[in-house]
Amino acid sequence: MKFLGNFKNWITTELLETLLTNDGDLTPVYQPEKWRNNPDFDEARIAVEKAGYPNGNHYFCQYTKETECLKNLDIQMPIPLERKEHHWWFIKLNPGQMQPMHFDPHVKLAKNCIRYTMPLLDYQPGHVFVEDNFLLTDYKAGDLFEWDRPDSYHGVVNISMNPRITLQLSVYDSD
């Protein structure tokens, strides 16, 4: 992960309070419709299934521009997007929530994808983010990171006593 700078001023009080007080769209960890019938994803899907995640009750909180609690907020990205296609989402993991090691299918399908991650809260012990063999710690709210490889395996878990919230941004060329 490459540190690009701190953009804490981008995080408004209204945005942060909205994310902290709403659970957005409760999203299942295991989403077979995103993985089935695509040979490029079979190995990862089978690993998730063998590990037992489809049998558990594992969810996380996700927010997009269509999420009801964000519809009245004017959310602009913290960096110029230079005429590229993009999509963004926020992830909130409440204590005990997680996402097992996975890759995001859209980055394998996108052309020239670049991935960014920005925590909206300071690092706390128990906020765990792993990308390949890299463990991200000691970050500050607003620190923006570019992924070395957008299609890398990554996972996150919150074993702290407080929520963990991040902005996820994918930028790519249109076809």
Side-chain angles (χ1 to χ4, degrees):
M1 292 239 151
K2 182 172 134 185
F3 176 69
L4 300 178
N6 185 279
F7 296 81
K8 184 172 183 169
N9 291 339
W10 177 82
I11 305 169
T12 67
T13 301
E14 182 180 28
L15 173 61
L16 192 55
E17 285 300 315
T18 298
L19 297 172
L20 285 168
T21 58
N22 294 277
D23 280 340
D25 302 315
L26 204 54
T27 305
V29 165
Y30 180 64
Q31 300 175 52
E33 68 281 358
K34 290 186 176 182
W35 295 82
R36 288 196 198 286
N37 302 319
N38 188 322
D40 294 333
F41 304 159
D42 278 345
E43 183 180 338
R45 178 186 54 78
I46 291 166
V48 167
E49 289 173 354
K50 283 185 176 179
Y53 290 110
N55 301 325
N57 193 16
H58 304 286
Y59 295 87
F60 61 93
C61 304
Q62 182 168 262
Y63 310 77
T64 67
K65 61 185 175 188
E66 288 85 28
T67 302
E68 193 61 39
C69 65
L70 296 185
K71 283 186 177 178
N72 293 326
L73 298 182
D74 181 26
I75 299 174
Q76 303 296 320
M77 290 300 98
I79 57 172
L81 298 176
E82 301 170 3
R83 299 183 313 256
K84 290 196 174 232
E85 296 291 325
H86 70 279
H87 71 273
W88 57 264
W89 64 105
F90 295 100
I91 298 287
K92 177 171 74 173
L93 295 180
N94 288 311
Q97 290 181 323
M98 59 74 139
Q99 293 177 314
M101 295 299 285
H102 66 284
F103 63 83
D104 295 313
H106 76 276
V107 300
K108 291 197 178 278
L109 302 173
K111 185 177 178 183
N112 299 320
C113 186
I114 302 170
R115 282 288 305 270
Y116 302 94
T117 295
M118 177 195 288
L120 275 66
L121 299 167
D122 290 346
Y123 171 79
Q124 295 181 29
H127 287 183
V128 180
F129 176 80
V130 177
E131 183 218 3
D132 284 335
N133 292 321
F134 175 74
L135 179 64
L136 182 61
T137 60
D138 297 327
Y139 51 77
K140 298 290 183 200
D143 284 352
L144 183 65
F145 299 92
E146 181 180 327
W147 297 44
D148 296 326
R149 286 187 14 249
D151 63 345
S152 64
Y153 274 84
H154 58 283
V156 62
V157 64
N158 183 358
I159 55 174
S160 79
M161 302 301 174
N162 299 297
R164 179 185 188 281
I165 303 174
T166 59
L167 166 68
Q168 303 298 316
L169 172 62
S170 292
V171 179
Y172 46 92
D173 293 338
S174 57
D175 292 334

